[in-house]
Amino acid sequence: VRMLVCRYWGPGLVRGSVSRRQSPQWRGLAGLGGSVGWEDGLDVRVREKPPWRVLFFGTDHFAQETLRALHAARENKEEELIDRLEVVTVPSPSPKGLPVKQYAVQSRLPVYEWPDVGSGEYDVGVVASFGRLLSEALIVKFPYGVLNVHPSCLPRWRGPAPIIHTVLHGDSVAGVTIMQIRPKRFDIGPILKQETIPVPPKSTTKELEAVLSRLGANMLISVLKNLPESLNSGRQQPTEGVTYAPKISAGTSCIKWEEQTSEQIFRLYRAIGDIIPLQTLWMENTIKLLDLVEVDSLVFDDQILVRQDVIPGSVIYHKQSQILLVYCKDGWIGVRSVMLKKTLTATDFYNGYLHPWYQKNSPAQPSQCRFQTLRLPTKKKQKKKIVAMQQCIK
């Protein structure tokens, strides 16, 4: 009878493994001591404790920090946490490749390009800022499922750009969640570990990403040290407080002078300025604002700045501080440099464009010399154009 069962159902069933249809969590917990097939006909032994065989999915600098921690754990022979570490990343058009791929190659780790996910024996998958949905057929192949290092306090900021939206919306608290992935939707699985930190004042996305990437890497290692227990104690995400963090489009970078306050514009600059410059319109030409600064209170000694009839978008050159002053919904912002055909300092822009304009239009009011909101074309191709982050921000 035993021979017949082995022949028709495979050796795993005889030794106590669980069905492939069960969730990754319960397959990992209920199947300890049994076997699970990575591919049909392949007998993979489920481990009850470390060292684990890990398949990592990631792309950007945030993910690179997680991979660095996994690699360090693999190299630490005394602790014996990671036995095997292999990497899956996405194809990159850049000759230099993506941060994760570069690090993996330098560290001599096996690298696969999505959708190739290797064919070895793995205990658990780890995802950090990967940007691809893993199929259910792939997820269930891991005895302990797939863990996600997500840089937000889930369920707040589900989606591919959580760090950008944390900065953009002025959140006072950020964090990292280690969760178990569920198929078909992003960031809905049970929470295994979650930690929060205060967002440093005036922090940029790049600065916050560096802090959260280190926090997330350390949290993942902590979970892997007690993986079965962590899976068993996972909790479902709350149904309240769900927000979404979609990818940033080019249209997000267009300043709306009449609608946005100075604080909103500075948050936008800190959130996406390192990814895509803020844009506006100058005399029917697109101009990029490269270096924004808060306006010092001493600047307001100039009477023109306190006039009640100033129109949003009005731009003047403040000679003493050598910055462009632009009026928005509730006040002024400063700009040190711009790009119009080439990069120009505020002084260069004044000498080349502002001063000649005033000379040519001497009777004109200062409010006529202004930046205007850039309206991008509404073509489908333009709507679908997505600006890549870094994850993370993911």
Side-chain angles (χ1 to χ4, degrees), residues 226-255:
N226 301 281
L227 183 55
E229 294 85 351
S230 296
L231 292 170
N232 195 38
S233 60
R235 57 184 175 88
Q236 295 302 314
Q237 294 186 33
T239 56
E240 298 180 352
V242 176
T243 57
Y244 295 94
K247 291 181 179 179
I248 299 299
S249 68
T252 308
S253 66
C254 298
I255 299 177

Side-chain angles (χ1 to χ4, degrees), residues 12-23:
L13 183 63
V14 177
R15 286 198 287 268
S17 68
V18 294
S19 169
R20 294 170 186 259
R21 295 182 180 179
Q22 289 180 286
S23 70

Side-chain angles (χ1 to χ4, degrees), residues 275-286:
I275 306 164
I276 176 173
L278 304 193
Q279 301 183 87
T280 189
L281 201 61
W282 163 258
M283 302 300 173
E284 301 183 355
N285 293 302
T286 300

Side-chain angles (χ1 to χ4, degrees), residues 305-324:
L305 302 182
V306 296
R307 290 174 50 174
Q308 299 300 315
D309 59 346
V310 178
I311 298 175
S314 297
V315 55
I316 63 175
Y317 176 66
H318 193 263
K319 188 175 182 179
Q320 288 77 10
S321 55
Q322 295 184 327
I323 60 175
L324 297 174

